[in-house]
Amino acid sequence: MLAIDVVVRRLYEAPPEGFVAARAAAIEEARRAGEREAAKRLAALKKPTVAAWVVNLVALRRPELIEELVELSTALRAAQRELRGDELRELSTQRRQFVSSLVEAARRLAAEEIGAGAGKLPLGDVEATFTAALADPEIAGQVRSGRLIRAVSYAGFGEVPRPRLRLVTDTDDDTDEDAPVVAAPAPPEPPRRSREDERRRRELERELNAARADERRADGRLERAEDAEREAGHVVEDLDAELAELERRRTEAIADVARRKLARRAAEREAAAARRRVGDVQAALDELAAT
């Protein structure tokens, strides 16, 4: 049986450039094993951005740090609600220091995976995500899951008031307790079913069974179409990400070509100057030899 949670963790723990191929392989393995629900769940997974992947590494490999984040977030919100100014200032200082330590831990974990490429990590987005998680419990839950797909940010600290809800049960009604109770009239006796009624009933039951079978087949086709659409959507998303990465690399390459062109022109000038110097010295030697 496919260990789906292990597979999902492996997908979000690995660097994102290999996500698409790894997801496709996992889906194919699930389908070969006859695990349609697992394949469907895997197909719904989305490729994380680099910043989200870095945050996921902390959640998956250093979960105790995320638990500390949740505790600090709870303390901050409590201090805000109760307007404890001194405590809030102290907690805010802790927040800044803790976020810095989280970002550094994230950088080290990513460096273990990608080596020298860690120098180009979007650590600003990573920091913004951790800061947002401290401010918003829902974001903290997403970070804790280790399956974040994109970086998030938060405009400022403070809780958004939630509407007060009342549980409505089957004992609630809008009737007046003092209103008199009027008994409902007894339902009329059903007429005896004739032989024609029975025949019609059997026909309708056969039609109902056939309609239900058609419905099941249609649901199956719909499910397959949705899976295909979802997979196609993932392909488009992944290609968009790859195109963005290629465009970034193209821009860097163009800049590198420009730098190398300038260096080549400088080298040409130096070579021409050296040749002129050689010619001048050779002419002086020839003149000296002639005399």
Side-chain angles (χ1 to χ4, degrees), residues 4 7 52 55 78 90 109 124 143 145 150 181 185 197 236 260 270:
I4 183 67
V7 175
V55 173
E90 180 180 351
L109 289 170
V143 169
S145 72
R150 61 178 59 85
V181 178
D197 292 336
V236 172
R260 293 178 185 276
E270 291 175 2

Side-chain angles (χ1 to χ4, degrees), residues 50-271:
V50 174
W53 167 68
V54 175
V55 173
N56 289 338
L57 278 180
V58 179
L60 295 171
R61 296 186 180 177
R62 296 291 306 277
E64 74 280 3
L65 294 180
I66 304 303
E67 294 306 317
E68 289 182 36
L69 180 149
V70 173
E71 292 175 4
L72 179 56
S73 172
T74 301
L76 275 166
R77 291 197 303 275
Q80 282 183 310
R81 284 195 300 267
E82 299 170 17
L83 300 177
R84 302 195 300 265
D86 292 340
E87 183 179 355
L88 183 58
R89 282 190 291 273
E90 180 180 351
L91 288 170
S92 296
T93 300
Q94 292 181 25
R95 173 180 63 83
R96 290 190 293 271
Q97 295 172 346
F98 185 57
V99 168
S100 296
S101 68
L102 281 174
V103 172
E104 178 57 24
R107 187 197 64 77
R108 288 197 300 269
L109 289 170
E112 293 173 2
E113 290 291 322
I114 60 178
K120 297 181 180 180
L121 292 172
L123 296 181
D125 291 339
V126 174
E127 180 179 1
T129 300
F130 284 134
T131 302
L134 278 167
D136 189 320
E138 184 176 348
I139 296 175
Q142 295 172 8
V143 169
R144 178 190 269 171
S145 72
R147 299 175 187 178
L148 203 66
I149 60 172
R150 61 178 59 85
V152 294
S153 60
Y154 192 78
F157 281 90
E159 293 185 296
V160 177
R162 299 293 197 273
R164 299 183 63 184
L165 303 179
R166 180 174 66 91
L167 179 62
V168 179
T169 67
D170 56 5
T171 61
D172 293 337
D173 58 50
D174 296 326
T175 60
D176 187 348
E177 293 181 355
D178 297 328
V181 178
V182 179
E189 288 291 331
R192 292 189 177 186
R193 295 186 178 278
S194 65
R195 186 174 301 175
E196 181 64 24
D197 292 336
E198 291 299 326
R199 185 185 64 78
R200 179 59 178 161
R201 180 184 180 84
R202 287 194 296 271
E203 291 178 354
L204 290 174
E205 287 176 347
R206 285 195 295 270
E207 291 182 13
L208 177 61
N209 290 333
R212 285 174 175 170
D214 289 342
E215 181 184 30
R216 287 192 296 272
R217 287 191 292 270
D219 286 343
R221 289 192 294 270
L222 175 60
E223 182 179 354
R224 290 190 294 272
E226 288 174 343
D227 289 343
E229 180 186 17
R230 187 181 301 108
E231 290 183 18
H234 289 328
V235 171
V236 172
E237 291 175 358
D238 296 336
L239 288 174
D240 285 343
E242 291 174 13
L243 284 172
E245 176 63 17
L246 288 173
E247 183 61 30
R248 183 188 65 78
R249 290 169 57 187
R250 177 177 180 275
T251 301
E252 291 180 354
I254 290 173
D256 188 51
V257 168
R259 288 192 297 270
R260 293 178 185 276
K261 183 178 292 186
L262 291 175
R264 188 257 302 167
R265 289 174 179 173
E268 287 177 346
R269 290 193 294 270
E270 291 175 2

